[in-house]
DNA sequence: CGAAAGTGTCGTCACATACT
DNA sequence: AGTATGTGACGACACTTTCG
């Protein structure tokens, strides 16, 4: 990704026509690009059935498409559409030597479906109810996984780091219990001779433990119940540990993508400013002649 | 050089949401 | 309703940087 930013540092607008073309261009072999208010039309020449572009694409957001060879960037304002004249065309994006495929579907209403290398959860099961989709849009910020997929970073997201169980953190609850003398008020419930106790941890957490009391008043924890609770808790902690790692990794990736996006947009801005400057100079030159 | 401050990482908990 | 999952928040710890 970092490499991508550096590559994008130079924008050369002279080779625009090498990759992007409009359907109305006179020659199929020398394509051109056309940006119409909110629609970018692409036509791939017959000789070039696929063209490589780099992209920072997010649905419903201003997006950027750039060629792998720094040739051209096309900015898509929010809510825009890419039209490709050839149905079933494919746009490959390159990031760090890996490919992401954007499949252009022939249906008029389906614009682009992105398919990362992982090919995981993007199977396009559109049986989601509109109600659910609406609610999702309104209430839940997209997960990093989703955002990354949208950004084309799915191939990175699946590149998991090695996971180690971290035995030093696997606190065993099978050790002798010593909570009985410090039972807080209201934390004890009894049902059928079996008591449920809420135990507070040292770091603000807690656990629910069940135990029974014998005839001598001593309490004991039924073995199978304790084992089951311990096992469940350890399993939950382990899963959560993994989930936290994954979440942090995705968050980092997400931030990296955002930083790359900023870099790309800054470069574009710089190029546009330069272009404007030279056009102004040209205009002043012609005016004085 | 040692203490304090800053930074990064990790495990855990709590909670919201998704799923079954 | 119960369970699974994702993620923000928190505290602990290790490491680095800064300052006197």
């Amino acid at each position: 990704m970092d490499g991508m930013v550096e590559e994008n540092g130079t924008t050369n607008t002279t080779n625009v026509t090498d990759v992007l073309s409009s359907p109305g261009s006179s020659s199929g072999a020398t394509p051109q690009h056309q940006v119409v208010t909110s629609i970018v039309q692409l036509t791939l020449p017959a000789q070039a059935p696929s063209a490589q572009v780099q992209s920072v694409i997010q649905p419903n957001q201003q997006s950027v498409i750039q060629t792998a060879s720094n040739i051209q960037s096309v900015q898509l304002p929010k809510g825009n559409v890419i039209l490709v004249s050839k149905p079933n065309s494919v746009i490959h994006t390159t990031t760090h030597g890996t490919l992401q495929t954007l499949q252009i579907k022939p249906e008029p209403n389906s614009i682009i479906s992105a398919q990362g290398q992982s090919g995981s959860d993007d199977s396009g099961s559109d049986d989601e109810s509109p109600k659910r989709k609406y609610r999702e849009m309104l209430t839940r910020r997209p997960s990093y996984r989703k955002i990354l997929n949208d950004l084309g970073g799915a191939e990175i997201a699946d590149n998991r780091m090695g996971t180690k169980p971290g035995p030093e953190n696997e606190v065993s609850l099978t050790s002798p219990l010593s909570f009985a003398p410090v039972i807080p008020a209201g934390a004890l419930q009894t049902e059928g001779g079996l008591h449920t106790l809420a135990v507070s941890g040292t770091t603000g957490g807690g656990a629910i433990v069940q135990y029974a009391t014998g005839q001598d008043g001593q309490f004991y924890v039924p073995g199978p119940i304790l084992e089951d609770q311990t096992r469940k808790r350890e399993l939950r902690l382990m899963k959560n540990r993994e989930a936290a790692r994954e979440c942090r990794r995705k968050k980092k990736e997400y931030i990296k993508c955002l930083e790359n996006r900023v870099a790309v947009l800054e470069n574009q801005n710089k190029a546009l400013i330069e272009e404007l400057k030279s056009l102004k100079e040209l205009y002043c030159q012609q005016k004085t002649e």
Side-chain angles (χ1 to χ4, degrees), chain A residues 266-281:
Chain A
E266 277 177 350
N267 284 329
Q268 284 191 309
N269 195 35
K270 216 188 298 178
L272 287 172
I273 288 172
E274 284 299 313
E275 193 180 347
L276 180 65
K277 197 173 148 190
S278 58
L279 285 174
K280 271 184 183 172
E281 283 173 4

Side-chain angles (χ1 to χ4, degrees), chain A residues 181-199:
Chain A
V182 289
I183 296 173
L188 182 64
Q189 294 176 347
T190 304
E191 186 178 332
L194 200 62
H195 314 299
T196 301
L197 174 67
V199 185

Side-chain angles (χ1 to χ4, degrees), chain A residues 48-250:
Chain A
S50 71
Q52 286 197 331
V53 299
Q54 290 185 336
S55 65
V56 183
I57 299 177
Q58 270 188 290
N60 269 341
Q61 285 202 18
Q62 202 168 52
S63 304
V64 175
I65 297 177
Q66 291 191 313
T67 64
S69 50
N70 311 320
I71 294 170
Q72 163 69 353
S73 61
V74 177
Q75 198 160 327
L76 303 179
K78 181 177 177 176
N80 280 359
V81 173
I82 295 179
L83 295 179
V84 178
S85 64
K86 289 183 188 304
N88 295 312
S89 300
V90 172
I91 299 175
H92 287 293
T93 67
T94 61
T95 46
H96 254 339
T98 59
L99 283 180
Q100 191 197 6
T101 302
L102 301 180
Q103 174 85 43
I104 312 299
K105 292 187 173 182
E107 292 87 351
N109 289 332
S110 63
I111 308 305
I112 287 181
S113 69
Q115 184 184 20
Q117 267 196 334
S118 62
S120 54
D121 48 4
D122 237 339
S123 54
S125 57
D126 293 333
D127 50 355
E128 284 183 3
S129 69
K131 189 177 160 190
R132 173 184 280 191
K133 279 186 178 176
Y134 180 69
R135 204 174 118 213
E136 196 169 303
M137 265 170 32
L138 280 183
T139 60
R140 187 166 171 80
R141 185 182 69 76
S143 70
Y144 293 121
R145 181 197 300 271
K146 191 166 165 51
I147 293 171
L148 274 170
N149 280 343
D150 290 344
L151 281 171
E155 70 281 354
I156 304 166
D158 278 349
N159 195 9
R160 289 157 187 260
M161 298 185 298
T163 58
K164 56 177 169 51
E168 74 276 4
N169 295 306
E170 289 179 6
V171 180
S172 172
L173 290 185
T174 54
S175 52
L177 296 170
S178 58
F179 52 74
V182 289
I183 296 173
L188 182 64
Q189 294 176 347
T190 304
E191 186 178 332
L194 200 62
H195 314 299
T196 301
L197 174 67
V199 185
S200 292
T202 54
T203 59
I208 303 296
V209 177
Q210 285 188 314
Y211 69 98
T213 42
Q215 287 180 337
D216 53 357
Q218 296 292 320
F219 69 89
Y220 66 92
V221 179
I225 292 177
L226 175 63
E227 277 177 24
D228 190 51
Q229 286 169 341
T230 303
R231 195 178 47 80
K232 276 183 182 171
R233 175 181 158 79
E234 286 181 354
L235 188 66
R236 185 170 56 81
L237 288 181
M238 197 182 71
K239 279 188 176 179
N240 191 241
R241 207 177 301 140
E242 293 294 322
R245 280 200 201 110
E246 184 68 7
C247 186
R248 286 178 182 126
R249 194 185 57 74
K250 280 186 290 187

